[in-house]
Amino acid sequence: MSAMIIDGKELARRTRARLAGDVAAVTENFGAAPGLAAILVGDDPASETYVRTKRRQAAECGIRSTAHHLAADTTEADLIKLVHALNGDETVDAILVQLPLPGHIASHRVLDTVLPGKDVDGFHSRNAGLLAVGRPETVPCTPRGCLALLRHAHGDDDSGGLGKLAGLHAVVVGRSSIVGRPMAALLTAENCTVTLAHSRTRSLPEVCRQADVLVAATGRPEMVRGDWIQPGATVIDVGINRIERGGASRLVGDVAFDEAQHVAGAITPVPGGVGPMTVAYLLHNTVELFHRRRADEAAQA
């Protein structure tokens, strides 16, 4: 058996195409396009690449974007001062603080400085809390993209597929506040039975083998092996890790793809799976925040 490859690039392209139409309409109606401000602190090459990609794809969708690139030794106070300025900028609908931040800056304090209504990543404590209690407003981009991939693979977006998500046992490996915890909350809302596992879970391979849907978000290259996967399961690989093998550098996920593809029913590749969907849903959230701000302004008028 060879797994169906879930094509994140193609689904992200379709998502951006829909967004471009929406942005064109709102720009004509309101006389302004949605605005995204990105903050990058330091010179991490991966972060610089991510920000460039996000800005390029934003421009392709008609979204205005600005970038604020700060030195690695920027103080936490100066970074928070910039966030406050962007909070008060009426041309900015969405604020992205690119992670990771340098070690001398407390990420949670910076992220909680962003207004919840401009928090494009859904990392503010208020947005995280609303998601946890089942009343989500802004949902983190990567879990939202993962859910879209799962819905597509299982036919919940009318694409045809493996069958609906409701009632399936989903195992999420990784408990970060960026992916694991919000992913578990989203799958719970889809009426899955959810197990949130991690590197210290006892008998982790056995737990993974119980999964109809397996989401790997550990940050450990190829940690999830092929024999950890239930035959026919859907596997979403969130990881993106650069490794050296045979004298060459290549990207791999948190799942041993060459093993898993012969066991799983459907699987995301790395690259080309979750990554493009993360960017697509960053843009989706930007447009959503634009609409929400205009609706709030109309209600207060």
Side-chain angles (χ1 to χ4, degrees):
M1 179 177 76
S2 186
M4 176 182 78
I5 305 301
I6 308 171
D7 189 346
K9 284 185 178 179
E10 175 58 21
L11 194 55
R13 184 195 65 77
R14 295 183 206 170
T15 302
R16 293 195 306 272
R18 288 194 298 270
L19 285 175
D22 189 8
V23 171
V26 300
T27 302
E28 183 175 350
N29 290 340
F30 292 97
L36 169 66
I39 301 173
L40 175 63
V41 184
D43 300 306
D44 178 70
S47 293
E48 290 179 348
T49 298
Y50 291 149
V51 169
R52 281 197 302 271
T53 299
K54 291 166 182 175
R55 293 195 67 206
R56 174 176 54 78
Q57 293 189 9
E60 291 170 358
C61 290
I63 295 171
R64 292 179 296 103
S65 71
T66 57
H68 302 265
H69 194 167
L70 307 180
D73 61 356
T74 297
T75 66
E76 183 178 306
D78 283 343
L79 176 54
I80 287 176
K81 183 178 179 181
L82 172 59
V83 172
H84 278 305
L86 294 172
N87 283 340
D89 187 338
E90 289 301 312
T91 68
V92 173
D93 299 288
I95 299 171
L96 161 71
V97 180
Q98 182 65 44
L99 300 178
L101 293 171
H104 66 280
I105 296 175
S107 297
H108 70 277
R109 283 199 287 267
V110 176
L111 297 174
D112 275 354
T113 302
V114 178
L115 284 176
K118 291 191 176 187
D119 171 29
V120 73
D121 272 321
F123 292 160
H124 191 284
S125 295
R126 180 180 184 276
N127 284 325
L130 286 171
L131 176 59
V133 299
R135 295 189 289 115
E137 288 190 357
T138 303
V139 176
C141 308
T142 296
R144 200 167 187 181
C146 290
L147 183 58
L149 290 166
L150 282 169
R151 283 176 169 167
H152 178 72
H154 284 261
D156 279 6
D157 64 349
D158 299 322
S159 65
L162 303 177
K164 306 301 183 184
L165 291 171
L168 298 182
H169 184 190
V171 174
V172 180
V173 187
R175 52 182 167 174
S176 75
S177 59
I178 294 174
V179 180
R181 294 174 192 268
M183 190 76 243
L186 289 177
L187 288 167
T188 298
E190 293 291 315
N191 296 309
C192 293
T193 299
V194 180
T195 298
L196 182 58
H198 47 81
S199 60
R200 296 189 181 182
T201 297
R202 292 182 181 178
S203 303
L204 181 57
E206 292 181 21
V207 172
C208 291
R209 279 192 287 270
Q210 298 170 21
D212 303 303
V213 170
L214 180 61
V215 181
T218 68
R220 299 187 180 190
E222 299 183 327
M223 174 181 172
V224 176
R225 312 307 303 186
D227 61 3
W228 293 25
I229 297 168
Q230 177 185 156
T234 303
V235 179
I236 303 294
D237 189 350
V238 181
I240 183 161
N241 312 280
R242 187 170 294 280
I243 65 169
E244 299 291 331
R245 184 171 292 169
S249 174
R250 69 186 187 101
L251 294 176
V252 300
D254 293 348
V255 177
F257 182 86
D258 290 344
E259 299 173 12
Q261 68 174 329
H262 299 297
V263 184
I267 189 170
T268 56
V270 177
V274 172
M277 293 297 288
T278 295
V279 180
Y281 274 88
L282 173 84
L283 305 179
H284 185 283
N285 283 358
T286 298
V287 176
E288 205 168 64
L289 290 173
F290 175 93
H291 283 297
R292 195 175 299 151
R293 285 188 68 208
R294 297 310 180 277
D296 289 346
E297 290 169 359
Q300 295 168 10

